[in-house]
Structure formats: structure tokens, C-alpha cells
Amino acid sequence: MMLTFNDALTLKPVTPAPKYKAYNLSNFEQIPQVAALSEELRFEMRVVGNVFPFKTNNYVVDELIDWSDVPNDPIFVLTFPQRGMLNDEAYEKMANVIRNGGSRQEIKVVADEIRLTLNPHPAGQLEYNVPELAGEKLNGMQHKYKETVLFFPSQGQTCHAYCSFCFRWPQFVGMTDLKFASREAGQLVDYLGEHPEVTDVLFTGGDPMIMKSDALATYFRALLKADLPEFQTIRIGTKALGYWPYRFTSDADADEVLELFEEVIASGKHIALMAHFNHPRELETPAVQEAIARIRATGAEIRTQSPVLTNINDSALVWSKMWAEQVRLGLIPYYMFVVRDTGAQDYFGITLSRAWEIYHNAIQSVSGLARTVRGPSMSATPGKVHVLGTTEVHGEKVFALQFLQGRNPDWVTRPFFAKYDENAIWLDDLKPAFGEERFFFEENSRN
Ligand SMILES: *Cc1c(COP(=O)(O)O)cnc(C)c1O
Ligand code: SF4
């Protein structure tokens, strides 16, 4: 039987939904599975959890983490603070403050000090890419690549749980002057009116799916109502399918959210969820599978992305399993990222050569339908740089690279080469191949 949109909305949740319960630094030791861990491990979590944002919930704790495999369980590593995320010096500094019963204020001072050493805004996010309207900076938006505007709705700047590797973390830790935010759907519409080159608006955060349906509706309807013939697609960058799939099944306004998706599609625009899945485990629960079916029945499409992360998903088997399962569930694998140069990169980071090896080994064992995924790629200052692979040209070992997105659109898909470097983890570590002074996209020689 064919599902119609409305049938989709009346599908009964297959999983009885628990009530959302958030855990953070103040209450995580009440989680029975955590209370059963060693005091040493819990102390480490307290120390690191005071520097990086930490929040998890009962779905992650009860449905996703395999507690018999903690501390190695990938979903545990993904959401709980890990000792390895701080270097010894930073760790000892914070550990001492806590051992000595430091006040909230003392803890905060040390935490801010450590955070500032962790490159909280990589790829020049604060300085560049902030668009202007009538000479005024639009701080809740970024416009880096011609056809897509990033929009940070102010109500969407948190998540159902936090990923320990997240580069957005400066937005969550109360350093408010670093926070992007916008309440202004009107500004967004005005900006698009002046920029007909923009076809896509990517709602991002945090996680826009943390917003109530009426907040989402305010933004979406403003876009649908406006006269923007070039504007085509609402994208929503979200981790809700991974961290709280009930958002689309049994939350009080779940049906309203799905109706809103239908409304977007009925208006002739497209809607794409850019869903973050870091591990195949996140696709296994009845709740997530039902959420996916309900979203797909509205006509919205789901594309997937994840960084490749040491200690979480640094194996080809994990990726091929994840992509195959995504295709089976009707999702479209889209991006594999290399983790960027911020936060706990030493702990999660992976060399470019290893990332490519994982991609290379994983992609050859999945159907062509899963080979839509591009990567590994780095979202660096000049653009999204795709590591095509390693090869040899006239006896010189090199990386072949290309831009998937570029500050200058003409850079996109131009192959270029860097000297092979086994230890390189980011674009900055790479030097041009063949004795060239600089890469083609660099204006001045490096110094
Ligand atoms: C990745 C990205 C986009 C979207 O790029 P697509 O290739 O269309 O997926 C837009 N803006 C920024 C800043 C990005 O990093
Ligand atoms: S869900 Fe996304 S924005 Fe939120 S913590 Fe994870 S990676 Fe960061």
C-alpha cells in the first residue's frame, strides 16, 4: 500500500516514548550506569566536563550506549567527557582546582583559560562570511558559498545531547560574545531578496530540531510567503535522529513538525534534513527507524554526514556498515568529514592519509547507491577540500585534492596536488607538490 502524507502522520509510534531527561555535569552521577563506574573514571569526567560542554539524555544512555563496553563504547566516547580530550597540563590544572574544592568562579576562570587555547573559532568563522544588509552585520547568518546561506536561529543553539568532538562548542559554554544568534526571519528574507544567487538556506546550530514547531513554522512560513523565486531548498542540519528520534514520533508537537515539512513540499520547495550519524548503532533502534519512515513519508529527504573520529568510528567496517544501513533505510550518504582544527583534535583527530584509507576501504564494499558520499573532506578557510587519494607522479608521492566548495566558485573540482605527508591532519599541514611555492588558490607565497 502506498503511504500518503497524511497516512504517515497517523502511523502510531512503535516505541513507547520515555520522557526526555537531560543529564549534565550537575546530575550525571545519578545515572545508575555511571554510578556503577569507578570513582577514578567519574572524577576524570568531572574534570573534563568542566571544560567542554557536556549534556546527554536518557535515550542515549538507555538505548544507544552499551555499558558493558564502557569506557570503550563508541557512543559513550561520543557523548561523555573523556580524559584524553585534555592534555596533561590542562587536565592537571583543572583537576587541582576541583581537588581543592574550588568555587564555581575559580573553575570558570581556569576553564575559560583552557578553552581559549583550543582555537574556539576555526576557519575564521567570526571574522569572515558574516553577511551584511544595508550596512548592518547579520550575526545569525553566514554566507560563504554562493548558493547556500547558513542561518542560526537563536532558539536552535543547543542540542538534545552534545558530541564530545563538537567544534560548535564555544556556542554552548556561556561565552556569549562568541555566540551566533538571530531572531530575525525578516532579515533572512530581506537578505535572500537581495541575493537571488542563494538557492538553499541551511538551518543550523546547535540543532534547529530542538526548536518547537511554532518557532520552526515562523521561519519556514516567512520563507514560503516571501517572493523568492530562486530560493529552492530548506536544509536542516540536525542530530535529533541520533540523539532524540522521538522528536519526529511522539514528542507533543511531532506531528506538527511533520505537517510543516509537508507544507514546505506542497508549496513547491524542497526540504532536506542533513542528519548527523556518527556510528551505525544510531540507526538500530525502533525509535530512529520509525522517525526516518515518518519523515520520508512527508516527502522530505534525509542526507547524512559525519566526521571520521579516532575512538568512535575510525574503521572502514563501521563506515561501510553505516552507509549500507542508511541506504536500506532510504537515507542518502552525503559527506565524510575530517575533524577540524579545534577543541580536542588530538584525541579525535585522524591523519588525512588514514581518513582516506578508511574511505577507500569502506566505499569499495558498498553498493553504488551508497557511493554518493563525498570525502574525506576538510571545511577549511578557502573551502571544502576533498582528499581524493594518494598517488605518485614522476616518483613523487602526493595527495590528490579538489575543492567541493570554494570561496571562489571557480576553484571547485580543479584537481591539485600536495606533497604526501603521513602525519598531516589538516590543510595547513600540507605543502604544494612538485616544488611549487604555493597552492593555486593562495594569493601570496607562504611565509
Ligand atoms: C558545507 C557547507 C555548505 C553547504 O555546501 P554543499 O556543498 O552545498 O553541501 C554551505 N556553507 C558552508 C559554510 C559549508 O561549510
Ligand atoms: S549535535 Fe551537532 S552541534 Fe550539537 S554537539 Fe553534536 S556536532 Fe555539535
Side-chain angles (χ1 to χ4, degrees), residues 35-90:
L37 301 174
S38 71
E39 164 56 26
E40 191 190 345
L41 196 56
R42 281 183 285 131
F43 180 74
E44 287 175 3
M45 288 194 256
R46 283 203 289 277
V47 171
V48 178
N50 269 296
V51 177
F52 294 96
F54 167 38
K55 174 174 160 187
T56 190
N57 67 53
N58 47 326
Y59 172 75
V60 175
V61 166
D62 295 328
E63 306 284 329
L64 295 186
I65 294 174
D66 173 3
W67 288 91
S68 70
D69 195 27
V70 168
N72 298 322
D73 180 77
I75 310 293
F76 175 76
V77 176
L78 177 63
T79 59
F80 281 80
Q82 305 294 318
R83 163 66 184 89
M85 291 166 58
L86 287 176
N87 65 31
D88 291 347
E89 193 194 336

Side-chain angles (χ1 to χ4, degrees), residues 127-366:
E127 308 89 278
Y128 307 117
N129 313 324
V130 176
E132 290 187 7
L133 188 68
E136 192 198 331
K137 284 209 180 294
L138 302 175
N139 284 313
M141 288 166 63
Q142 277 179 45
H143 191 185
K144 182 169 180 181
Y145 308 129
K146 194 163 113 326
E147 68 282 5
T148 302
V149 161
L150 267 48
F151 183 68
F152 298 78
S154 54
Q155 304 85 344
Q157 301 310 304
T158 183
C159 309
H160 292 94
Y162 294 152
C163 309
S164 41
F165 67 81
C166 182
F167 70 88
R168 298 269 163 83
W169 57 271
Q171 295 171 74
F172 309 144
V173 288
M175 298 165 86
T176 46
D177 53 336
L178 293 180
K179 189 162 171 160
F180 297 99
S182 171
R183 280 173 193 285
E184 304 298 332
Q187 277 184 333
L188 173 63
V189 166
D190 291 348
Y191 185 77
L192 296 187
E194 288 188 8
H195 292 269
E197 74 275 18
V198 176
T199 57
D200 292 31
V201 175
L202 172 47
F203 284 77
T204 183
D207 187 341
M209 289 314 305
I210 202 97
M211 287 195 277
K212 293 282 171 263
S213 63
D214 51 359
L216 279 171
T218 304
Y219 291 115
F220 290 6
R221 289 190 182 131
L223 286 168
L224 300 187
K225 245 184 30 217
D227 179 27
L228 300 167
E230 314 300 330
F231 164 67
Q232 288 178 2
T233 298
I234 291 176
R235 296 200 214 177
I236 307 172
T238 182
K239 180 81 193 170
L241 282 166
Y243 283 162
W244 193 252
Y246 309 111
R247 183 72 197 91
F248 306 98
T249 61
S250 52
D251 272 7
D253 60 348
D255 284 0
E256 275 161 51
V257 167
L258 296 185
E259 273 159 3
L260 191 59
F261 290 0
E262 291 180 339
E263 190 179 320
V264 173
I265 287 156
S267 81
K269 305 292 185 189
H270 179 51
I271 186 159
L273 268 75
M274 313 305 291
H276 301 214
F277 289 109
N278 308 110
H279 194 278
R281 175 100 45 86
E282 297 169 89
L283 298 159
E284 283 173 9
T285 69
V288 72
Q289 297 195 0
E290 193 205 17
I292 289 168
R294 285 166 62 91
I295 292 166
R296 293 193 62 235
T298 68
E301 143 188 297
I302 307 171
R303 292 175 186 264
T304 64
Q305 59 192 53
S306 170
V308 47
L309 302 153
T310 303
N311 299 305
I312 294 176
N313 61 18
D314 55 337
S315 110
L317 197 64
V318 164
W319 283 88
S320 57
K321 196 174 162 196
M322 182 158 74
W323 291 332
E325 185 62 5
Q326 287 172 0
V327 168
R328 191 182 73 80
L329 295 169
L331 317 186
I332 306 164
Y334 190 62
Y335 274 134
M336 175 201 253
F337 289 118
V338 180
V339 78
R340 57 202 309 182
D341 50 347
T342 182
Q345 197 192 34
D346 293 346
Y347 186 67
F348 295 112
I350 198 158
T351 62
L352 298 178
S353 66
R354 177 81 187 116
W356 176 72
E357 217 171 78
I358 290 170
Y359 178 85
H360 174 70
N361 289 326
I363 204 87
Q364 59 187 275
S365 67
V366 292

Side-chain angles (χ1 to χ4, degrees), residues 356 385-391 393 398-402 415-418:
W356 176 72
V385 178
H386 182 187
V387 181
L388 291 168
T390 57
T391 186
V393 178
V398 296
F399 283 113
L401 306 137
Q402 72 168 358
F416 66 101
F417 297 91

